[in-house]
């Protein structure tokens, strides 16, 4: 009998070319499948809730696979971590029904983008934030970001080779918060265009530098060529994916770099209306 198993996965994306298997380069999928195959004693194919690019991190990526092997949830976690390298960890496991699809079953997804302020880039943690030598006015950036709330055409924040059918997405919540030397963009949306969060982060940084006059105007122009460059990948974290049927799968996990975060809102799957747009 085939079983469906969902995993909560954390990884440091620094030494990966992305989450999805590719013809060349080290990927999260290939490494995770190899470890799970050893635990299951059979070939395993993993599906992810969302793709992450080269250099992007995750604190709670959700992966699902189907297997004939019967193992306890703790055995899957311990077994996978035995064979995984140090830059990937399985932190949770859930038995799910056969209809569960980690991507299509998700109600919304949450990302953090982390800027770190230092005159000299630190030796420790340099790949876990985008380090800048500017001081960012988090309060002003937060106020500017509120124009992105709701459903919009996000063409100005869409990568040129994005293959999504529609540029429209719905942002449920967005904030910019200061935590000591870190400034964090926290964004929750039903789905994202290619590099959308990094492009929003890049626009906010451009705003701080005076290269963007007004974020709402940039949104209305619907022209990617008018926007600042994409922010680097190392500041981006996939932190939460919400599922109505399996809420424990989608618990928020903050990037360890930020310590224990009590400043950020706690969202549950039912907090936002599930609005599906042609994606």
């Amino acid at each position: 009998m085939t079983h469906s198993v969902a995993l909560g996965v954390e990884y440091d994306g620094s030494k990966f070319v992305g989450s999805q298997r590719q013809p060349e380069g080290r990927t999260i999928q290939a490494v995770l499948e190899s470890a799970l195959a050893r635990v299951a004693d059979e070939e395993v194919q993993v599906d992810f809730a969302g793709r992450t690019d080269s250099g992007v991190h995750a604190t709670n990526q959700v992966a699902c696979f189907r297997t004939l092997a019967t193992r306890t949830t703790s055995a899957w976690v311990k077994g996978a971590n035995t064979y995984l390298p140090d830059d990937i960890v399985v932190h949770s496991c859930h038995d799910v029904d056969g209809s569960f699809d980690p991507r299509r079953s998700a109600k919304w997804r949450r990302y953090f983008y982390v800027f770190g302020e230092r005159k000299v880039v630190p030796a420790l943690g340099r790949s876990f934030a985008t380090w800048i030598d500017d001081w960012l006015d988090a309060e002003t950036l937060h106020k500017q970001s509120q124009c992105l709330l709701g459903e919009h055409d996000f063409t100005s924040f869409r990568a040129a080779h994005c293959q999504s059918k529609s540029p429209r997405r719905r942002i449920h919540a967005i904030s910019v918060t200061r935590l000591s030397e870190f400034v964090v963009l926290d964004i929750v949306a039903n789905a994202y265009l290619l590099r959308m969060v990094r492009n929003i982060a890049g626009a906010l940084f451009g705003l701080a530098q005076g290269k963007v006059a007004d974020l709402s105007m940039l949104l209305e122009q619907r022209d990617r060529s008018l926007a600042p460059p994409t922010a680097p990948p190392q500041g981006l974290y996939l932190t939460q994916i919400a599922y109505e049927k399996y809420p424990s799968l989608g618990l928020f996990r903050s990037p360890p770099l930020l310590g224990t975060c009590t400043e950020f809102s706690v969202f549950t799957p039912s907090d936002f209306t599930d609005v599906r747009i042609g994606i």
Side-chain angles (χ1 to χ4, degrees):
M1 181 179 177
T2 301
H3 306 278
S4 294
V5 181
L7 304 174
V9 185
E10 177 179 296
Y11 51 82
D12 168 1
S14 305
K15 297 180 181 178
F16 292 91
V17 297
S19 58
Q20 297 295 119
R21 183 185 290 276
Q22 298 178 33
E24 296 182 2
R26 184 171 181 253
T27 65
I28 303 295
Q29 182 177 12
V31 173
L32 184 58
E33 287 178 348
S34 177
L36 291 171
R38 297 180 71 174
V39 181
D41 197 28
E42 65 179 13
E43 293 297 314
V44 169
Q45 180 176 332
V46 166
D47 294 315
F48 289 117
R51 294 186 177 186
T52 55
D53 291 336
S54 176
V56 174
H57 316 297
T59 57
N60 199 10
Q61 170 73 273
V62 175
C64 184
F65 65 96
R66 289 163 178 78
T67 178
L68 294 171
T70 301
R71 307 281 188 272
T72 63
T73 53
S74 61
W76 284 119
V77 172
K78 292 178 181 178
N81 288 330
T82 297
Y83 300 114
L84 284 170
D86 292 342
D87 45 6
I88 309 180
V89 169
V90 173
H91 55 67
S92 58
C93 178
H94 306 263
D95 293 316
V96 293
D97 62 44
S99 65
F100 178 79
D101 182 306
R103 185 173 69 88
R104 292 183 175 85
S105 299
K107 291 195 66 180
W108 45 263
R109 296 160 177 81
R110 186 176 190 176
Y111 281 88
F112 271 20
Y113 193 91
V114 181
F115 290 101
E117 298 172 346
R118 288 269 185 103
K119 291 299 181 182
V120 177
V121 177
L124 301 177
R126 66 169 50 217
S127 61
F128 295 130
T130 294
W131 297 95
I132 58 175
D133 61 3
D134 295 288
W135 181 84
L136 299 179
D137 184 344
E139 184 177 350
T140 295
L141 296 183
H142 173 77
K143 290 178 180 177
Q144 280 276 335
S145 72
Q146 298 311 293
C147 70
L148 303 179
L149 279 170
E151 182 182 332
H152 301 283
D153 180 328
F154 284 97
T155 296
S156 293
F157 306 98
R158 177 183 190 173
H161 54 290
C162 178
Q163 297 180 350
S164 296
K165 297 177 182 178
S166 169
R168 301 193 70 82
R169 295 293 185 270
R170 178 178 292 272
I171 292 182
H172 297 301
I174 186 169
S175 66
V176 180
T177 304
R178 172 170 291 281
L179 294 174
S180 184
E181 65 181 338
F182 299 106
V183 172
V184 183
L185 167 64
D186 177 8
I187 183 168
V188 179
N190 65 331
Y192 298 85
L193 300 166
L194 183 62
R195 308 226 168 90
M196 178 173 158
V197 180
R198 287 170 58 193
N199 287 333
I200 291 173
L204 288 171
F205 185 57
L207 186 72
Q209 293 182 309
K211 296 178 180 179
V212 174
D214 184 80
L215 204 63
S216 61
M217 183 181 300
L218 182 60
L219 175 69
E220 292 170 4
Q221 287 172 325
R222 301 177 186 177
D223 187 342
R224 176 66 197 139
S225 68
L226 300 177
T230 303
Q234 64 266 23
L236 185 60
Y237 293 80
L238 174 58
T239 61
Q240 188 176 14
I241 303 169
Y243 299 96
E244 191 165 25
K245 191 172 182 179
Y246 302 101
S248 59
L249 251 183
L251 298 179
F252 168 68
R253 291 173 66 93
S254 174
L257 184 77
L258 302 179
T260 302
C261 293
T262 58
E263 292 84 355
F264 297 100
S265 299
V266 176
F267 299 124
T268 64
S270 60
D271 284 336
F272 306 114
T273 303
D274 185 18
V275 179
R276 296 293 178 180
I277 299 172
I279 56 177

